[in-house]
């Protein structure tokens, strides 16, 4: 196979059966996929895997030594071979039926790796019919041919030593594909690649030199076939560097390329719509709002499309900044589209835009709402107004992305709560115009390294302070089981607020005992954010149950309580939300449908039930619903999480930290794995293998600098043609994916 490359399909290299199993088990299709399927850990041949306490019912791979072997006749016929393997302390029984010949291989003292499902029989842990591979034939006998016995012995010893130092890679395996079968397939792939001329390294040589990074072929060789422990560590470091660098280069390159595509400049006009709007604003812009507005205004006035991320605390007033940008575009007869993650939020944005614009500007700009649950006639009116260019502002949900939506002249895209969307969705909307300007907004503070990874193709502006006059929020964690009196106090406190003319939110993680908040197709199931729990977890507090509980309380008899969930019809949701805004509902029992952006300044208190079931940033967002006006906010996080558990720590972190950016950093520390990227992950390869934004912040920053430096010196990457080609291919693939999705 002289032409084998990383793109070659696996079946021609490792055989059809193994290829099929690799695809089914791990989605591996090409040689490149396989050589990037990295060992999960390494065992040392000299070190045996502890056998005590192996989990019954699980598939394990252990490194052990054969202790003894017995064969016996079964009463009902057939022969049973029993071998015991040991780690020197514990032992594990291997059983084989009618496979007496295995006694020739499984001799006392032999070492190897054994894999199978752990079961228990009469108090003894065992593996029935395990797969195994023994470490034996470590030297080719032909090597010693013609040597003196002494020389041969010396060679034997040297080989044995080298062999005993060689770590054993343990791959993520399935029952069909034991670790060593994967190892053999990888070895075959590596050897075939080498025979076909080797693996081309796309990284510039000087960069590898200066960073001390191993050549790609060598790194892959050592990560899969290390000769000693240091090998795989160096190899992993090198591969991780590559991931970080390639990701940052892809992001920066994309940003640079987006800049080169000509968009439409929307000039700033001194006495126009924007000036009229500013005059009507009931408040002064804060310094940060004005600054952000300034940066955005000059970018929109440029022919190069803007790609900016506006990060600001909940309630920091991002919407008005976005609306001002829309006015600049509208001045030039251009259209703007505001994409919101939920129907509730889209509807609220629509109302507040109409209100903030005032009657005259509203008539002139004709803002329209577009969601998939709107009545058909209304929806058609919106679509027409957008296609004709009459409507200069569109506000909507994912419905904006659908095929039937066309714009006359889409000049600006505003994505609210950007973290709830993937890059593809931003792209799908972008394709409805000619390189429109993009303003992404997020109220979920993102630690810098995450921002670099997830939004690395955007420039970032911060609004760190909320407008003056806000009273802020006080948050308490209330452990329900430990302090039942405190929990009861929470419900009384809510009553006191209502008596004082204020309103209260109660937030539950579920709609009913059997239904979580995922019924709404337009609702991003952010609940997945809360850590998955075991099957034995108690039922979640639900809206239904809370409504029933409050209904039974005598002290809540005169209180106007209503429910709001994603399972309700959209006009019903809208009606409830309006009633709550108008002060006609005292206590709103809801799911996370009220999470983002909902703005009712008279709401002063929030009670969150089973708070540990929400993510940290989600809790921070939720509590941002209160304390928005002149009233101080109070947030009570009811929890059943045990003291000292990570779940409890997360709830307590939210109670202790009111600064969203600090909280985001603490959240990052509390999370172990990089599940932060989620659907928002962008850039280079579709998944990161070794790079963890939670752990490798410094590396990411460093890689960013190196990538930026390279692009500054050589924007077209003429000095690194292979790298340029790789980037172009990835970008092409991504565009194809986007086209397929839009
Ligand atoms: P977010 O950043 O969470 O989207 P919003 O844009 O919804 O915040 O703003 C929250 C509230 O603050 C709105 O009622 C808005 O009218 C108000 N607001 C925005 N800017 C100012 C300001 N400079 N001074 C006073 N109130 C402001
Ligand atoms: Mg908002």
């Amino acid at each position: 196979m002289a032409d084998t490359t990383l793109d070659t399909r696996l079946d021609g290299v490792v055989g059809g059966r193994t290829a099929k199993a690799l695809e089914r088990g791990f989605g591996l299709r090409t040689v490149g996929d396989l050589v990037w399927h990295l060992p999960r850990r390494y065992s040392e041949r000299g070190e045996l895997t502890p056998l005590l306490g192996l989990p019954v019912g699980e598939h394990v791979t252990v490194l052990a030594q054969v202790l003894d072997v017995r064969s016996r006749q079964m009463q009902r016929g057939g022969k049973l071979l029993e071998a015991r393997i040991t780690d020197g302390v514990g032992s594990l029984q291997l059983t084989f039926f009618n496979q007496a010949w295995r006694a020739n291989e499984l001799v006392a003292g032999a070492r190897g790796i054994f894999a199978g499902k752990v079961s228990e029989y009469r108090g003894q842990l065992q593996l029935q019919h395990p797969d195994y591979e023994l470490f034996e034939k470590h030297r080719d006998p032909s090597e010693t041919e013609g040597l003196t016995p002494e020389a041969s012995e010396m060679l034997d010893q040297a080989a044995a030593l080298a062999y005993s130092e060689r770590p054993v890679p343990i791959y993520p395996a399935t029952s069909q594909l034991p670790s060593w079968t994967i190892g053999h397939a990888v070895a075959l792939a590596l050897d075939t690649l080498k025979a076909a001329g080797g693996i081309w390294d796309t990284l510039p040589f000087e960069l590898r030199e200066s960073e001390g990074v191993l050549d790609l072929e060598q790194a892959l060789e050592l990560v899969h076939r290390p000769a000693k422990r240091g090998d795989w560590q160096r190899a992993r470091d090198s591969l991780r560097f590559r991931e970080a660098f390639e990701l940052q280069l892809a992001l920066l390159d994309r940003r640079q390329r987006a800049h080169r595509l000509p968009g439409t400049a929307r000039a700033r006009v001194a006495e126009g719509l924007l000036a009229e709007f500013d005059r009507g604003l009931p408040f002064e812009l804060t310094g940060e709002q004005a600054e952000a507005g300034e940066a955005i205004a000059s970018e929109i006035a440029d022919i190069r499309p803007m790609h900016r991320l506006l990060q600001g605390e909940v309630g920091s007033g991002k919407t008005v900044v976005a609306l001002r940008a829309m006015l600049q575009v509208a001045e030039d007869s251009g259209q703007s589209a505001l994409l919101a993650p939920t129907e509730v939020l889209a509807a609220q944005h629509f109302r507040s835009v109409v209100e903030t614009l005032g009657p005259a500007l509203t008539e002139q700009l004709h803002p329209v709402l577009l969601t998939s649950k709107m009545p058909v006639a209304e929806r058609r009116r919106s679509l027409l107004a957008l296609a004709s260019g009459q409507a200069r502002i569109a506000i909507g949900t994912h419905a904006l992305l659908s095929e039937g939506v066309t714009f006359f002249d889409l000049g600006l895209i505003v994505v609210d709560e950007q973290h709830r969307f993937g890059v593809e969705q931003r792209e799908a909307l972008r394709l409805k115009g000619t390189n429109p300007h993009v303003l992404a907004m997020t109220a979920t503070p993102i630690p810098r390294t995450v921002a670099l990874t997830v939004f690395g193709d955007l420039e970032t502006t911060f609004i760190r302070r909320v407008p003056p006059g806000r009273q802020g929020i006080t948050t308490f964690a209330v452990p329900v089981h430990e302090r039942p009196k405190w929990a009861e106090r929470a419900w009384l406190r809510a009553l006191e607020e209502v008596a004082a003319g204020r309103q209260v939110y109660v937030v539950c993680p579920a709609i009913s005992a059997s239904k979580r908040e995922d019924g709404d197709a337009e609702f991003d199931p952010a609940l997945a954010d809360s850590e998955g729990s075991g099957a034995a977890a108690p039922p979640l507090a639900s809206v239904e149950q809370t409504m029933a509980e409050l209904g039974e309380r005598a002290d809540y008899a005169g209180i106007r309580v209503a429910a709001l969930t994603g399972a309700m019809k959209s006009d019903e949701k809208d009606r409830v939300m309006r009633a709550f805004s108008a002060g006609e509902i005292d206590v709103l029992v809801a799911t996370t449908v009220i999470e983002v952006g909902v703005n009712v300044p008279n709401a002063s208190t929030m009670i969150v039930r089973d708070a540990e079931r929400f993510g940290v940033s989600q809790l921070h967002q939720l509590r941002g619903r209160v304390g928005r006006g002149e009233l101080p906010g109070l947030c009570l996080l009811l929890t059943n999480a045990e003291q000292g558990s990570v779940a409890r720590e997360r709830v307590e972190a939210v109670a202790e930290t009111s600064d969203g950016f600090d909280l985001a950093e603490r959240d990052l520390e509390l999370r172990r794995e990089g599940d932060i990227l989620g659907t928002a992950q962008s850039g280079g390869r579709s998944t990161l293998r070794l790079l963890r934004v939670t752990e490798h912040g410094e590396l990411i920053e460093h890689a960013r600098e190196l990538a930026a430096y390279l692009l500054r010196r050589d924007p077209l990457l003429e000095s690194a043609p292979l790298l340029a080609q790789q980037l172009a291919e990835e970008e092409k693939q991504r565009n194809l994916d986007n086209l397929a999705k839009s």
Side-chain angles (χ1 to χ4, degrees):
M1 230 150 308
D3 52 353
T4 301
T5 68
L6 293 175
D7 295 325
T8 305
R9 294 197 59 88
L10 276 173
D11 41 10
V13 178
V14 300
R17 255 180 49 143
T18 309
K20 209 171 263 162
L22 285 168
E23 169 148 18
R24 207 169 333 110
F26 304 102
L28 308 177
R29 291 190 191 91
T30 64
V31 171
D33 292 342
L34 179 59
V35 297
W36 273 97
H37 183 68
L38 304 181
R40 181 168 36 213
R41 60 191 168 86
Y42 298 81
S43 286
E44 305 281 325
R45 269 164 227 264
E47 275 171 28
L48 304 173
T49 314
L51 298 178
L52 282 177
L54 283 179
V56 174
E58 271 180 39
H59 193 272
V60 297
T61 302
V62 299
L63 202 149
Q65 183 164 29
V66 177
L67 192 62
D68 52 27
V69 186
R70 291 187 304 161
S71 175
R72 58 188 171 92
Q73 194 68 40
M74 304 281 285
Q75 279 169 1
R76 271 173 277 133
K79 259 197 169 163
L80 181 68
L81 183 74
E82 292 173 327
R84 274 195 305 159
I85 57 172
T86 179
D87 59 358
V89 184
S91 74
L92 186 62
Q93 179 115 302
L94 313 181
T95 58
F96 301 91
F97 295 98
N98 287 335
Q99 297 189 346
W101 57 271
R102 290 193 189 274
N104 300 328
E105 293 183 350
L106 293 167
V107 295
R111 283 176 176 226
I113 12 181
F114 303 83
K117 193 168 154 187
V118 182
S119 56
E120 199 171 350
Y121 182 69
R122 294 191 178 156
Q124 164 77 55
L125 292 184
Q126 62 172 16
L127 304 179
Q128 284 181 20
H129 284 247
D131 290 305
Y132 60 87
E133 188 176 68
L134 300 173
F135 306 148
E136 261 189 324
K137 302 185 202 86
H138 52 265
R139 215 163 55 77
D140 186 346
S142 67
E143 281 175 33
T144 48
E145 243 174 277
L147 292 179
T148 62
E150 291 77 26
S152 169
E153 166 79 0
M154 268 174 66
L155 252 188
D156 261 345
Q157 280 180 6
L161 186 66
Y163 181 81
S164 71
E165 279 189 350
R166 202 178 312 148
V168 184
I170 308 288
Y171 290 89
T174 68
S175 53
Q176 270 78 50
L177 271 177
S179 172
W180 56 86
T181 305
I182 297 171
H184 292 321
V186 172
L188 198 54
L190 286 175
D191 289 340
T192 313
L193 281 169
K194 285 184 187 175
I199 302 171
W200 289 77
D201 199 329
T202 54
L203 287 198
F205 178 74
E206 310 83 74
L207 181 69
R208 292 202 313 260
E209 281 288 281
S210 66
E211 295 301 309
V213 174
L214 293 175
D215 165 65
L216 180 58
E217 181 173 308
Q218 200 186 359
L220 287 172
E221 174 67 32
L222 292 181
V223 85
H224 291 293
R225 296 192 281 203
K228 51 188 188 307
R229 191 202 309 219
D231 284 350
W232 61 259
Q233 284 161 341
R234 266 189 81 197
R236 281 170 69 94
D237 288 346
S238 284
L239 294 175
R240 185 181 300 118
F241 172 84
R242 258 164 219 285
E243 279 195 327
F245 181 78
E246 284 173 7
L247 178 63
Q248 291 306 328
L249 190 71
L251 291 166
L252 288 171
D253 176 64
R254 193 193 301 170
R255 174 160 111 187
Q256 180 184 276
R257 223 134 17 102
H259 265 180
R260 277 202 292 266
L261 296 170
T264 308
R266 312 285 178 173
R268 306 175 72 164
V269 175
E271 265 311 312
L273 296 170
L274 183 54
E276 184 183 337
F277 173 80
D278 283 349
R279 273 196 299 274
L281 263 185
F283 47 74
E284 289 230 358
L285 295 178
T286 65
E288 285 176 318
Q289 281 174 320
E291 237 170 79
E294 204 42 49
I296 292 166
S298 63
E299 283 180 330
I300 290 180
D302 196 292
I303 190 164
R304 290 180 306 178
M306 168 176 77
H307 283 263
R308 189 163 281 282
L309 175 69
L310 183 59
Q311 272 201 67
E313 279 282 357
V314 182
S316 59
K318 297 182 291 297
T319 316
V320 72
V321 174
L323 193 52
R324 292 180 74 246
M326 294 182 188
L327 286 162
Q328 185 175 335
V329 172
E331 186 78 60
D332 189 47
S333 304
Q335 295 170 295
S336 299
L338 192 159
L339 180 64
T342 66
E343 239 184 302
V344 168
L345 192 54
Q348 184 190 281
H349 267 312
F350 181 71
R351 278 198 300 274
S352 95
V353 162
V354 167
E355 196 178 310
T356 319
L357 285 175
L361 280 173
T362 296
E363 194 181 327
Q364 219 175 331
L365 303 180
H366 193 76
V368 294
L369 179 67
L370 196 76
T371 72
S372 59
K373 294 192 176 168
M374 279 164 71
V376 177
E378 204 178 316
R379 188 179 148 82
R380 197 154 48 219
R381 269 202 301 280
S382 290
L383 287 176
L384 262 175
L386 285 176
S388 69
Q390 186 201 6
R392 275 182 263 167
I393 296 179
I395 295 167
T397 55
H398 289 77
L400 280 173
L401 310 178
S402 62
E403 232 173 277
V405 183
T406 50
F407 290 84
F408 184 73
D409 175 16
L410 180 60
L412 171 66
I413 292 168
V414 179
V415 185
D416 195 21
E417 307 303 338
Q418 162 74 52
H419 65 288
R420 303 283 286 271
F421 295 97
V423 178
E424 314 80 48
Q425 284 150 329
R426 202 206 300 158
E427 280 302 300
L429 193 49
R430 236 171 54 80
L431 292 175
K432 293 187 184 287
T434 310
N435 303 317
H437 300 286
V438 176
L439 179 65
M441 307 199 289
T442 179
T444 302
I446 307 165
R448 180 172 152 78
T449 54
V450 180
L452 280 183
T453 315
V454 184
F455 304 119
D457 58 337
L458 303 174
E459 273 144 298
T460 307
T461 306
F462 291 94
I463 299 185
R464 292 182 189 276
R465 279 174 226 285
V466 296
R470 300 269 170 84
Q471 295 299 311
I473 312 160
T474 315
T475 308
F476 294 102
V478 181
V480 176
H481 285 325
E482 291 157 42
R483 305 276 184 176
K485 280 199 184 128
W486 290 10
E488 173 54 20
R489 181 85 192 92
W491 298 106
L492 296 177
R493 183 61 204 263
L495 276 181
E496 290 165 19
E497 291 294 314
V498 172
R502 290 158 205 164
Q503 290 161 283
V504 176
Y505 294 103
V506 179
V507 183
C508 306
I511 297 173
S512 65
S514 59
K515 200 157 184 207
R516 299 198 65 173
E517 181 58 82
D518 57 8
D520 183 349
E522 285 182 345
F523 182 77
D524 178 47
L527 282 173
D529 196 23
S530 56
E531 262 154 30
S533 58
L540 297 174
S542 70
V543 170
E544 200 175 80
Q545 175 203 348
T546 306
M547 291 296 288
E549 283 173 22
L550 294 182
E552 276 166 21
R553 290 180 69 125
D555 53 354
Y556 271 70
I559 306 294
R560 295 166 301 177
V561 183
L564 183 73
T565 75
M568 287 158 53
K569 289 221 172 64
S570 53
D571 51 349
E572 180 73 358
K573 270 190 282 195
D574 205 46
R575 199 185 53 72
V576 171
M577 219 35 239
R578 276 171 195 274
F580 189 66
S581 296
E584 294 156 14
I585 291 169
D586 301 313
V587 177
L588 186 66
V589 183
T591 55
T592 48
V593 288
I594 58 133
E595 181 185 354
V596 271
V598 169
N599 190 18
V600 178
N602 190 48
S604 63
T605 303
M606 173 175 288
I607 297 176
V608 183
R609 303 192 72 182
D610 286 342
E612 74 279 4
R613 305 306 289 263
F614 298 92
V616 166
S617 63
Q618 211 176 7
L619 287 174
H620 182 64
Q621 294 248 329
L622 278 169
R623 73 173 159 183
R625 305 301 109 231
V626 296
R628 291 175 78 90
E630 282 96 70
L631 303 170
L634 174 67
C635 177
L636 302 169
L637 302 173
L638 272 46
T639 177
N640 287 314
E642 266 170 55
Q643 202 163 9
S645 64
V646 174
R648 176 76 166 268
E649 270 182 62
R650 289 160 71 230
V651 173
E652 280 166 1
V654 177
E656 284 159 17
T657 320
S658 61
D659 181 303
F661 289 92
D662 284 353
L663 196 57
E665 297 285 351
R666 284 196 61 181
D667 188 24
L668 201 55
E669 285 160 22
L670 288 171
R671 295 200 205 194
R672 267 147 303 175
E673 276 300 287
D675 56 337
I676 294 153
L677 294 185
T679 55
Q681 184 179 311
S682 62
R685 237 175 256 109
S686 58
T687 49
L688 294 174
R689 281 151 178 108
L690 293 167
L691 194 65
R692 295 279 172 271
V693 278
T694 45
E695 286 167 41
H696 306 123
E698 273 178 39
L699 174 60
I700 291 172
E701 299 255 7
H702 181 55
R704 174 103 172 163
E705 278 167 27
L706 292 170
Y709 179 70
L710 178 61
L711 283 175
R712 256 200 316 278
R713 263 191 342 179
D714 180 8
L716 299 176
L717 296 177
E718 282 160 340
S719 64
L722 289 173
L723 198 53
Q725 190 187 336
Q726 177 181 326
L727 275 181
E729 271 161 23
E730 277 170 7
E731 193 65 29
K732 199 166 87 195
Q733 192 53 49
R734 201 165 23 234
N735 286 338
L736 289 178
D737 292 349
N738 286 335
L739 281 176
K741 271 178 199 147
S742 61

